[in-house]
Amino acid sequence: MSAADVVHWMLTALFAAAAVHAVRQGVLTRSSGWRGRVDRSLHAAMALSMAVMPWAWGHLLPEVPQTAFFAVGALWFPASARGRSQASRLADLVRRLPHAAGMAAMAWMHLGHSMETKGGDLVTGVLTLYLLACALRSLTRDMPALRGTSGTVDVATDAHAPYEHFWHGSMALGTAILLLMHC
């Protein structure tokens, strides 16, 4: 087994686990409403697609429908931002941008041939850097010692937030790795 195969298996395991988590959360979390169910369905579809993407047989599905699906998913997250005031709507939009970037990266990877140009390298680089920043923020946000802040915990945060941050950060990191691999 080559080093590339080991990375492929690790990515497959990560994304398969993320898909199971998204489906499980969708089933267990009834109070999230229709927006939460759509979000989790998009995350599950993205994770399943990413689980097979590293493998040659993972490219058997037609690229155009997948590109369109993930492009619509990229638009869904900012378009479904909500809030009572302009400020709260903007805050929700900012929270949803990493999810939109992940979906946009998936659409971009399914375009494949466009990634091989100089402009394509720029788009890939920007998406990768943004997803890496999102992964780092998400994976370290519940670790005050790593951020250099006090050990206080925001009482408004959900008890499951660290797990959600882990999954979102892992997905962002895995997506950045796939972008760099040009799968």
Side-chain angles (χ1 to χ4, degrees), residues 75-136:
L75 294 173
W76 161 258
F77 285 99
S80 63
R82 61 183 178 202
R84 292 180 188 240
S85 67
Q86 187 69 15
S88 65
R89 182 173 164 76
L90 182 61
D92 192 40
L93 173 68
V94 168
R95 279 190 299 275
R96 296 175 70 74
L97 285 180
H99 307 296
M103 292 287 166
M106 286 296 292
W108 182 247
M109 283 186 275
H110 283 293
L111 284 174
H113 61 279
S114 301
M115 296 173 73
E116 302 301 324
T117 65
K118 192 169 188 176
D121 288 343
L122 178 64
V123 171
T124 301
V126 168
L127 281 169
T128 302
L129 288 174
Y130 181 72
L131 288 168
L132 286 173
C134 291
L136 183 61

Side-chain angles (χ1 to χ4, degrees), residues 64-83:
V64 174
Q66 290 185 79
T67 302
F69 176 81
F70 290 114
V72 168
L75 294 173
W76 161 258
F77 285 99
S80 63
R82 61 183 178 202

Side-chain angles (χ1 to χ4, degrees), residues 22-40:
V23 169
R24 182 177 173 268
Q25 286 301 106
V27 170
L28 294 178
T29 311
R30 297 277 185 218
S31 63
S32 62
W34 64 271
R35 183 177 88 146
R37 286 190 291 277
V38 171
D39 289 356
R40 285 183 175 78

